[in-house]
Amino acid sequence: MIDTLKTEGKFTYAEAGEGPAIIVLHGLMGTLSNFGGTFNHFSKNGYTVLIPELPLYSLPLLDTNVKNLAKFLKEFLEHKKLDKVILLGNSLGGHIGLYFTKHYQEKVIALVLTGSSGLYEKAMGDSFPKRGNYEYIEQKTKAVFYDPAIGTKEMVDDVFKIVNERNSVIRTLAIAKSAIRHNMAADLPKMSQPTCIIWGKQDTVTPPEVAEDFQKLLPNSDLFWIDKCGHAAMMEQPEEFNAILHKWLLSKNL
Protein backbone atom coordinates (compact mmCIF):
# COMPACT_ATOMS: atom_id res chain seq x y z
CA MET A 1 0.00 0.00 0.00
CA ILE A 2 2.83 2.38 0.79
CA ASP A 3 3.91 2.28 -2.87
CA THR A 4 0.75 4.15 -3.83
CA LEU A 5 1.47 7.80 -3.16
CA LYS A 6 -0.91 10.71 -3.55
CA THR A 7 0.27 14.11 -4.76
CA GLU A 8 -1.88 17.16 -4.05
CA GLY A 9 -0.23 20.52 -4.60
CA LYS A 10 3.09 20.51 -2.74
CA PHE A 11 2.20 17.44 -0.67
CA THR A 12 3.13 13.88 -1.58
CA TYR A 13 2.07 11.27 0.93
CA ALA A 14 0.87 7.75 1.63
CA GLU A 15 -2.50 7.27 3.32
CA ALA A 16 -4.58 4.26 4.32
CA GLY A 17 -7.06 3.11 6.93
CA GLU A 18 -9.86 4.68 8.97
CA GLY A 19 -9.87 5.92 12.53
CA PRO A 20 -7.70 8.21 14.68
CA ALA A 21 -4.91 9.77 12.59
CA ILE A 22 -1.31 8.67 13.05
CA ILE A 23 1.11 11.00 11.24
CA VAL A 24 4.45 9.31 10.57
CA LEU A 25 7.58 11.48 10.24
CA HIS A 26 10.63 9.93 8.63
CA GLY A 27 14.27 10.76 9.33
CA LEU A 28 16.89 12.66 7.38
CA MET A 29 18.22 9.64 5.52
CA GLY A 30 14.92 7.81 5.84
CA THR A 31 12.14 7.15 3.36
CA LEU A 32 8.45 6.38 3.60
CA SER A 33 9.15 2.70 3.01
CA ASN A 34 11.04 2.53 6.33
CA PHE A 35 7.61 2.51 7.96
CA GLY A 36 5.99 -0.04 5.65
CA GLY A 37 5.27 -2.55 8.42
CA THR A 38 3.84 0.13 10.71
CA PHE A 39 1.78 1.65 7.91
CA ASN A 40 0.23 -1.69 6.99
CA HIS A 41 -0.43 -2.86 10.55
CA PHE A 42 -2.14 0.23 11.92
CA SER A 43 -4.06 1.10 8.76
CA LYS A 44 -5.67 -2.36 8.99
CA ASN A 45 -6.36 -2.09 12.72
CA GLY A 46 -8.48 0.98 13.31
CA TYR A 47 -6.25 3.93 12.43
CA THR A 48 -5.74 6.32 9.55
CA VAL A 49 -2.01 6.34 8.84
CA LEU A 50 -0.45 9.16 6.83
CA ILE A 51 3.22 9.49 5.88
CA PRO A 52 4.09 12.78 4.19
CA GLU A 53 7.30 13.14 2.21
CA LEU A 54 9.22 15.81 4.08
CA PRO A 55 10.76 18.51 1.82
CA LEU A 56 14.28 17.91 3.10
CA TYR A 57 16.00 18.76 -0.16
CA SER A 58 13.52 21.08 -1.84
CA LEU A 59 13.09 24.02 0.55
CA PRO A 60 15.17 27.16 -0.03
CA LEU A 61 18.47 26.69 1.79
CA LEU A 62 17.73 29.40 4.37
CA ASP A 63 14.43 27.67 5.18
CA THR A 64 15.94 24.21 5.50
CA ASN A 65 15.65 23.75 9.25
CA VAL A 66 13.59 22.05 11.95
CA LYS A 67 11.35 25.10 12.34
CA ASN A 68 10.24 25.13 8.71
CA LEU A 69 9.83 21.36 8.57
CA ALA A 70 7.45 21.70 11.52
CA LYS A 71 5.69 24.49 9.61
CA PHE A 72 5.35 22.12 6.64
CA LEU A 73 3.75 19.55 8.98
CA LYS A 74 1.26 22.18 10.16
CA GLU A 75 0.36 23.01 6.55
CA PHE A 76 -0.05 19.31 5.75
CA LEU A 77 -2.46 18.84 8.66
CA GLU A 78 -4.43 21.89 7.51
CA HIS A 79 -4.52 20.49 3.97
CA LYS A 80 -5.91 17.19 5.30
CA LYS A 81 -8.27 19.02 7.71
CA LEU A 82 -6.83 17.17 10.69
CA ASP A 83 -7.05 18.84 14.06
CA LYS A 84 -6.04 16.16 16.58
CA VAL A 85 -3.32 13.67 15.68
CA ILE A 86 -0.86 11.13 17.02
CA LEU A 87 2.69 11.97 15.86
CA LEU A 88 5.16 9.11 15.31
CA GLY A 89 8.73 10.08 14.46
CA ASN A 90 12.07 8.38 13.96
CA SER A 91 15.36 10.26 14.25
CA LEU A 92 14.89 13.74 12.72
CA GLY A 93 11.17 12.94 12.36
CA GLY A 94 10.87 12.67 16.13
CA HIS A 95 12.59 16.03 16.51
CA ILE A 96 10.16 17.66 14.06
CA GLY A 97 7.27 16.13 15.99
CA LEU A 98 8.60 17.53 19.27
CA TYR A 99 9.16 21.00 17.83
CA PHE A 100 5.67 20.96 16.35
CA THR A 101 4.21 19.86 19.69
CA LYS A 102 6.00 22.69 21.49
CA HIS A 103 4.14 25.23 19.34
CA TYR A 104 0.82 23.42 18.71
CA GLN A 105 0.17 21.39 21.85
CA GLU A 106 -3.57 21.41 21.24
CA LYS A 107 -3.20 19.53 17.94
CA VAL A 108 -1.20 16.58 19.35
CA ILE A 109 -3.03 13.95 21.39
CA ALA A 110 -0.01 11.64 21.72
CA LEU A 111 3.64 11.31 20.72
CA VAL A 112 5.63 8.24 19.68
CA LEU A 113 9.42 8.58 19.59
CA THR A 114 11.88 6.01 18.29
CA GLY A 115 15.58 6.81 17.92
CA SER A 116 14.58 10.48 18.08
CA SER A 117 16.96 13.40 17.89
CA GLY A 118 16.23 16.54 19.87
CA LEU A 119 18.45 15.96 22.90
CA TYR A 120 21.65 14.41 21.68
CA GLU A 121 23.82 16.64 19.51
CA LYS A 122 25.96 13.89 18.05
CA ALA A 123 22.86 12.23 16.64
CA MET A 124 22.67 14.95 14.03
CA GLY A 125 26.40 15.35 13.45
CA ASP A 126 28.04 11.96 13.43
CA SER A 127 25.39 9.74 11.92
CA PHE A 128 25.38 11.33 8.48
CA PRO A 129 28.27 10.10 6.35
CA LYS A 130 30.30 12.76 4.65
CA ARG A 131 31.38 12.27 1.08
CA GLY A 132 33.50 9.20 0.64
CA ASN A 133 33.98 6.07 -1.34
CA TYR A 134 31.17 3.58 -1.69
CA GLU A 135 32.61 1.09 0.78
CA TYR A 136 32.78 3.78 3.48
CA ILE A 137 29.18 4.83 2.87
CA GLU A 138 28.13 1.18 2.95
CA GLN A 139 29.86 0.65 6.29
CA LYS A 140 28.28 3.77 7.83
CA THR A 141 24.81 2.90 6.54
CA LYS A 142 24.92 -0.67 7.83
CA ALA A 143 26.20 0.54 11.22
CA VAL A 144 22.80 2.17 11.86
CA PHE A 145 21.35 -1.32 12.37
CA TYR A 146 22.07 -4.10 14.83
CA ASP A 147 21.79 -6.52 11.90
CA PRO A 148 23.89 -5.05 9.05
CA ALA A 149 21.88 -7.06 6.51
CA ILE A 150 19.00 -4.60 7.01
CA GLY A 151 21.16 -2.03 5.19
CA THR A 152 20.41 -3.24 1.67
CA LYS A 153 22.31 -2.25 -1.45
CA GLU A 154 19.36 -0.10 -2.48
CA MET A 155 19.56 1.77 0.82
CA VAL A 156 23.32 2.22 0.52
CA ASP A 157 22.88 3.48 -3.04
CA ASP A 158 20.33 6.05 -1.86
CA VAL A 159 22.63 7.36 0.89
CA PHE A 160 25.61 7.40 -1.49
CA LYS A 161 23.59 9.52 -3.91
CA ILE A 162 22.54 11.95 -1.17
CA VAL A 163 26.07 12.51 0.15
CA ASN A 164 27.53 12.98 -3.31
CA GLU A 165 25.07 15.58 -4.59
CA ARG A 166 25.92 19.14 -3.60
CA ASN A 167 22.28 20.22 -3.21
CA SER A 168 21.39 17.43 -0.80
CA VAL A 169 24.70 17.62 1.10
CA ILE A 170 24.39 21.31 1.95
CA ARG A 171 20.77 20.80 3.03
CA THR A 172 21.69 17.79 5.13
CA LEU A 173 24.30 19.88 6.92
CA ALA A 174 21.87 22.79 7.32
CA ILE A 175 19.30 20.49 8.95
CA ALA A 176 21.97 18.93 11.18
CA LYS A 177 23.09 22.36 12.43
CA SER A 178 19.47 23.40 12.92
CA ALA A 179 18.75 20.28 14.97
CA ILE A 180 21.66 21.08 17.29
CA ARG A 181 20.37 24.65 17.72
CA HIS A 182 16.87 23.43 18.51
CA ASN A 183 17.72 21.27 21.52
CA MET A 184 14.42 20.38 23.19
CA ALA A 185 15.58 19.68 26.77
CA ALA A 186 14.01 22.82 28.26
CA ASP A 187 10.72 22.28 26.40
CA LEU A 188 10.01 18.62 27.13
CA PRO A 189 8.79 19.05 30.76
CA LYS A 190 5.97 21.27 29.41
CA MET A 191 4.67 18.56 27.06
CA SER A 192 1.97 16.63 28.91
CA GLN A 193 0.80 14.43 26.02
CA PRO A 194 1.01 10.67 26.54
CA THR A 195 4.32 9.71 24.97
CA CYS A 196 5.47 6.25 23.92
CA ILE A 197 9.26 5.92 23.66
CA ILE A 198 10.38 2.77 21.80
CA TRP A 199 14.14 2.31 21.57
CA GLY A 200 16.61 -0.19 20.22
CA LYS A 201 18.93 -1.43 22.97
CA GLN A 202 21.83 -1.40 20.53
CA ASP A 203 21.15 2.03 19.00
CA THR A 204 24.57 3.61 18.37
CA VAL A 205 23.21 6.78 16.74
CA THR A 206 21.00 7.86 19.65
CA PRO A 207 22.30 5.60 22.45
CA PRO A 208 20.07 4.15 25.19
CA GLU A 209 20.85 6.95 27.63
CA VAL A 210 19.11 9.35 25.22
CA ALA A 211 15.89 7.35 25.59
CA GLU A 212 16.29 7.45 29.37
CA ASP A 213 16.71 11.24 29.24
CA PHE A 214 13.58 11.57 27.12
CA GLN A 215 11.65 9.55 29.70
CA LYS A 216 12.95 11.67 32.58
CA LEU A 217 12.08 14.95 30.86
CA LEU A 218 8.69 14.05 29.36
CA PRO A 219 6.23 14.00 32.27
CA ASN A 220 3.73 11.52 30.80
CA SER A 221 6.00 9.04 29.04
CA ASP A 222 6.55 5.28 28.93
CA LEU A 223 9.82 3.72 27.74
CA PHE A 224 10.01 0.34 25.98
CA TRP A 225 13.20 -1.45 24.86
CA ILE A 226 13.67 -3.71 21.86
CA ASP A 227 16.67 -6.03 22.04
CA LYS A 228 18.94 -6.82 19.09
CA CYS A 229 17.85 -3.57 17.52
CA GLY A 230 19.58 -0.40 16.35
CA HIS A 231 18.43 3.09 15.40
CA ALA A 232 15.34 2.23 13.31
CA ALA A 233 13.24 -0.13 15.44
CA MET A 234 10.21 0.04 13.14
CA MET A 235 12.41 -1.35 10.31
CA GLU A 236 14.57 -3.82 12.16
CA GLN A 237 11.97 -5.36 14.50
CA PRO A 238 8.65 -4.28 12.93
CA GLU A 239 6.44 -6.91 14.55
CA GLU A 240 7.70 -6.20 18.06
CA PHE A 241 7.55 -2.44 17.43
CA ASN A 242 3.95 -2.66 16.23
CA ALA A 243 2.91 -4.91 19.11
CA ILE A 244 4.38 -2.55 21.72
CA LEU A 245 2.85 0.53 20.13
CA HIS A 246 -0.57 -1.04 19.54
CA LYS A 247 -0.83 -2.28 23.14
CA TRP A 248 0.24 1.16 24.41
CA LEU A 249 -2.29 3.02 22.25
CA LEU A 250 -5.09 0.78 23.50
CA SER A 251 -3.96 1.26 27.12
CA LYS A 252 -4.30 5.02 26.63
CA ASN A 253 -7.69 4.70 24.86
CA LEU A 254 -6.18 6.19 21.73
Side-chain angles (χ1 to χ4, degrees):
M1 287 193 294
I2 207 165
D3 296 330
T4 309
L5 299 182
K6 303 177 182 180
T7 299
E8 297 163 358
K10 67 178 181 179
F11 304 109
T12 297
Y13 62 98
E15 178 180 7
E18 292 183 10
I22 299 175
I23 310 297
V24 176
L25 302 167
H26 62 79
L28 187 46
M29 294 289 182
T31 62
L32 278 63
S33 62
N34 293 5
F35 287 89
T38 302
F39 181 83
N40 291 334
H41 175 86
F42 287 97
S43 65
K44 292 173 181 174
N45 285 281
Y47 296 88
T48 301
V49 186
L50 301 104
I51 316 182
E53 281 189 351
L54 299 174
L56 303 178
Y57 309 118
S58 57
L59 289 173
L61 183 58
L62 288 175
D63 294 337
T64 303
N65 51 46
V66 171
K67 177 182 177 181
N68 279 295
L69 291 167
K71 180 185 174 189
F72 174 87
L73 172 58
K74 178 175 181 282
E75 292 169 351
F76 178 69
L77 296 186
E78 289 169 350
H79 172 74
K80 294 299 296 178
K81 298 182 171 57
L82 292 168
D83 195 44
K84 305 278 186 186
V85 298
I86 300 161
L87 295 181
L88 190 173
N90 172 243
S91 202
L92 173 69
H95 199 160
I96 294 166
L98 288 166
Y99 189 89
F100 178 89
T101 302
K102 172 185 174 181
H103 293 280
Y104 307 104
Q105 293 250 14
E106 72 284 356
K107 296 184 181 298
V108 182
I109 57 174
L111 281 163
V112 184
L113 304 174
T114 182
S116 178
S117 63
L119 284 180
Y120 184 60
E121 291 185 359
K122 282 188 178 178
M124 298 309 293
D126 290 355
S127 63
F128 305 121
K130 309 300 186 290
R131 294 184 192 211
N133 63 34
Y134 187 87
E135 289 73 22
Y136 173 76
I137 301 300
E138 182 177 32
Q139 173 196 337
K140 295 292 283 185
T141 302
K142 288 178 176 292
V144 169
F145 305 102
Y146 174 78
D147 177 3
I150 303 288
T152 61
K153 184 180 186 306
E154 181 183 10
M155 195 181 300
V156 175
D157 289 347
D158 288 343
V159 175
F160 186 74
K161 183 179 177 184
I162 289 169
V163 300
N164 282 284
E165 285 186 356
R166 184 173 180 275
N167 172 63
S168 53
V169 167
I170 58 176
R171 280 165 174 76
T172 297
L173 294 173
I175 293 169
K177 289 175 183 174
S178 161
I180 292 169
R181 286 198 307 274
H182 290 104
N183 186 286
M184 303 298 298
D187 304 302
L188 299 183
K190 302 165 194 167
M191 297 182 189
S192 58
Q193 287 84 355
T195 303
C196 182
I197 304 167
I198 305 176
W199 225 263
K201 279 188 178 179
Q202 289 79 24
D203 187 340
T204 58
V205 179
T206 44
E209 57 265 29
V210 181
E212 291 166 354
D213 286 345
F214 270 119
Q215 186 186 27
K216 287 174 191 169
L217 290 167
L218 286 159
N220 189 9
S221 61
D222 299 294
L223 173 58
F224 303 92
W225 298 104
I226 297 182
D227 197 13
K228 297 182 179 176
C229 184
H231 184 56
M234 70 290 167
M235 284 182 71
E236 195 156 11
Q237 301 284 359
E239 290 183 6
E240 188 172 353
F241 179 90
N242 293 339
I244 290 170
L245 178 54
H246 203 161
K247 184 177 180 181
W248 182 85
L249 288 169
L250 293 176
S251 76
K252 301 296 181 183
N253 294 315
L254 293 167

